[in-house]
PDB file of all heavy atoms in Angstrom:
ATOM      1  N   GLN A   2     138.118 102.444  83.391  1.00 69.00           N
ATOM      2  CA  GLN A   2     138.308 102.515  84.834  1.00 69.00           C
ATOM      3  C   GLN A   2     137.961 103.883  85.384  1.00 69.00           C
ATOM      4  O   GLN A   2     137.466 103.990  86.491  1.00 69.00           O
ATOM      5  CB  GLN A   2     139.744 102.177  85.203  1.00 69.00           C
ATOM      6  CG  GLN A   2     140.021 100.694  85.260  1.00 69.00           C
ATOM      7  CD  GLN A   2     141.413 100.422  85.788  1.00 69.00           C
ATOM      8  OE1 GLN A   2     142.317 101.202  85.582  1.00 69.00           O
ATOM      9  NE2 GLN A   2     141.585  99.304  86.446  1.00 69.00           N
ATOM     10  N   GLU A  10     133.254 107.129  93.431  1.00 96.00           N
ATOM     11  CA  GLU A  10     133.399 108.378  94.178  1.00 96.00           C
ATOM     12  C   GLU A  10     132.039 109.013  94.438  1.00 96.00           C
ATOM     13  O   GLU A  10     131.800 109.553  95.519  1.00 96.00           O
ATOM     14  CB  GLU A  10     134.311 109.350  93.431  1.00 96.00           C
ATOM     15  CG  GLU A  10     135.766 108.930  93.454  1.00 96.00           C
ATOM     16  CD  GLU A  10     136.655 109.769  92.555  1.00 96.00           C
ATOM     17  OE1 GLU A  10     136.138 110.553  91.729  1.00 96.00           O
ATOM     18  OE2 GLU A  10     137.885 109.637  92.681  1.00 96.00           O
ATOM     19  N   LYS A  12     129.135 107.399  94.691  1.00 97.00           N
ATOM     20  CA  LYS A  12     128.476 106.583  95.713  1.00 97.00           C
ATOM     21  C   LYS A  12     129.050 106.880  97.091  1.00 97.00           C
ATOM     22  O   LYS A  12     128.320 106.961  98.077  1.00 97.00           O
ATOM     23  CB  LYS A  12     128.645 105.089  95.407  1.00 97.00           C
ATOM     24  CG  LYS A  12     127.832 104.596  94.245  1.00 97.00           C
ATOM     25  CD  LYS A  12     128.085 103.116  94.010  1.00 97.00           C
ATOM     26  CE  LYS A  12     127.413 102.620  92.764  1.00 97.00           C
ATOM     27  NZ  LYS A  12     127.707 101.200  92.500  1.00 97.00           N
ATOM     28  N   LEU A  15     127.702 110.171  98.311  1.00 98.00           N
ATOM     29  CA  LEU A  15     126.297 110.021  98.691  1.00 98.00           C
ATOM     30  C   LEU A  15     126.180 109.350 100.055  1.00 98.00           C
ATOM     31  O   LEU A  15     125.417 109.808 100.919  1.00 98.00           O
ATOM     32  CB  LEU A  15     125.538 109.206  97.641  1.00 98.00           C
ATOM     33  CG  LEU A  15     124.068 108.914  97.943  1.00 98.00           C
ATOM     34  CD1 LEU A  15     123.271 110.212  98.022  1.00 98.00           C
ATOM     35  CD2 LEU A  15     123.474 107.996  96.890  1.00 98.00           C
ATOM     36  N   LEU A  16     126.937 108.296 100.260  1.00 98.00           N
ATOM     37  CA  LEU A  16     126.915 107.614 101.561  1.00 98.00           C
ATOM     38  C   LEU A  16     127.401 108.551 102.660  1.00 98.00           C
ATOM     39  O   LEU A  16     126.843 108.559 103.765  1.00 98.00           O
ATOM     40  CB  LEU A  16     127.783 106.353 101.524  1.00 98.00           C
ATOM     41  CG  LEU A  16     127.179 105.179 100.764  1.00 98.00           C
ATOM     42  CD1 LEU A  16     128.229 104.108 100.541  1.00 98.00           C
ATOM     43  CD2 LEU A  16     125.988 104.614 101.502  1.00 98.00           C
ATOM     44  N   SER A  18     127.061 111.802 102.797  1.00 98.00           N
ATOM     45  CA  SER A  18     125.986 112.737 103.127  1.00 98.00           C
ATOM     46  C   SER A  18     124.859 112.041 103.882  1.00 98.00           C
ATOM     47  O   SER A  18     124.253 112.628 104.783  1.00 98.00           O
ATOM     48  CB  SER A  18     125.454 113.429 101.868  1.00 98.00           C
ATOM     49  OG  SER A  18     124.846 112.513 101.005  1.00 98.00           O
ATOM     50  N   ILE A  20     125.251 109.471 105.916  1.00 98.00           N
ATOM     51  CA  ILE A  20     125.780 109.257 107.268  1.00 98.00           C
ATOM     52  C   ILE A  20     125.670 110.549 108.075  1.00 98.00           C
ATOM     53  O   ILE A  20     125.235 110.545 109.225  1.00 98.00           O
ATOM     54  CB  ILE A  20     127.238 108.759 107.211  1.00 98.00           C
ATOM     55  CG1 ILE A  20     127.272 107.319 106.683  1.00 98.00           C
ATOM     56  CG2 ILE A  20     127.907 108.844 108.587  1.00 98.00           C
ATOM     57  CD1 ILE A  20     128.656 106.833 106.295  1.00 98.00           C
ATOM     58  N   ALA A  22     123.627 113.087 107.588  1.00 97.00           N
ATOM     59  CA  ALA A  22     122.216 113.397 107.845  1.00 97.00           C
ATOM     60  C   ALA A  22     121.669 112.531 108.986  1.00 97.00           C
ATOM     61  O   ALA A  22     120.965 113.022 109.872  1.00 97.00           O
ATOM     62  CB  ALA A  22     121.391 113.199 106.581  1.00 97.00           C
ATOM     63  N   SER A  28     117.648 111.327 117.353  1.00 96.00           N
ATOM     64  CA  SER A  28     117.939 109.964 117.808  1.00 96.00           C
ATOM     65  C   SER A  28     118.414 109.147 116.614  1.00 96.00           C
ATOM     66  O   SER A  28     117.633 108.439 115.981  1.00 96.00           O
ATOM     67  CB  SER A  28     116.677 109.321 118.401  1.00 96.00           C
ATOM     68  OG  SER A  28     116.269 110.019 119.544  1.00 96.00           O
ATOM     69  N   GLU A  32     122.016 101.292 113.994  1.00 98.00           N
ATOM     70  CA  GLU A  32     122.134 100.167 113.061  1.00 98.00           C
ATOM     71  C   GLU A  32     122.249 100.670 111.624  1.00 98.00           C
ATOM     72  O   GLU A  32     123.067 100.178 110.845  1.00 98.00           O
ATOM     73  CB  GLU A  32     120.928  99.244 113.208  1.00 98.00           C
ATOM     74  CG  GLU A  32     121.077  97.941 112.457  1.00 98.00           C
ATOM     75  CD  GLU A  32     119.934  96.974 112.728  1.00 98.00           C
ATOM     76  OE1 GLU A  32     119.433  96.946 113.867  1.00 98.00           O
ATOM     77  OE2 GLU A  32     119.559  96.255 111.789  1.00 98.00           O
ATOM     78  N   ARG A  40     129.163 100.093 104.172  1.00 98.00           N
ATOM     79  CA  ARG A  40     129.100 100.219 102.713  1.00 98.00           C
ATOM     80  C   ARG A  40     130.101 101.252 102.214  1.00 98.00           C
ATOM     81  O   ARG A  40     130.758 101.062 101.185  1.00 98.00           O
ATOM     82  CB  ARG A  40     127.681 100.590 102.273  1.00 98.00           C
ATOM     83  CG  ARG A  40     126.725  99.420 102.406  1.00 98.00           C
ATOM     84  CD  ARG A  40     125.285  99.748 102.119  1.00 98.00           C
ATOM     85  NE  ARG A  40     125.078 100.565 100.947  1.00 98.00           N
ATOM     86  CZ  ARG A  40     124.016 101.361 100.777  1.00 98.00           C
ATOM     87  NH1 ARG A  40     123.078 101.425 101.690  1.00 98.00           N
ATOM     88  NH2 ARG A  40     123.890 102.080  99.688  1.00 98.00           N
ATOM     89  N   LYS A  45     135.295 102.538  99.572  1.00 96.00           N
ATOM     90  CA  LYS A  45     136.635 103.122  99.723  1.00 96.00           C
ATOM     91  C   LYS A  45     137.699 102.088  99.393  1.00 96.00           C
ATOM     92  O   LYS A  45     138.674 102.375  98.699  1.00 96.00           O
ATOM     93  CB  LYS A  45     136.800 103.654 101.149  1.00 96.00           C
ATOM     94  CG  LYS A  45     138.121 104.288 101.428  1.00 96.00           C
ATOM     95  CD  LYS A  45     138.209 105.643 100.780  1.00 96.00           C
ATOM     96  CE  LYS A  45     139.436 106.371 101.296  1.00 96.00           C
ATOM     97  NZ  LYS A  45     139.542 107.686 100.702  1.00 96.00           N
TER      98      LYS A  45
END
Side-chain angles (χ1 to χ4, degrees):
Q2 279 187 329
E10 288 172 348
K12 288 179 187 177
L15 177 63
L16 286 168
S18 65
I20 289 167
S28 296
E32 190 174 325
R40 287 174 44 206
K45 181 74 169 181

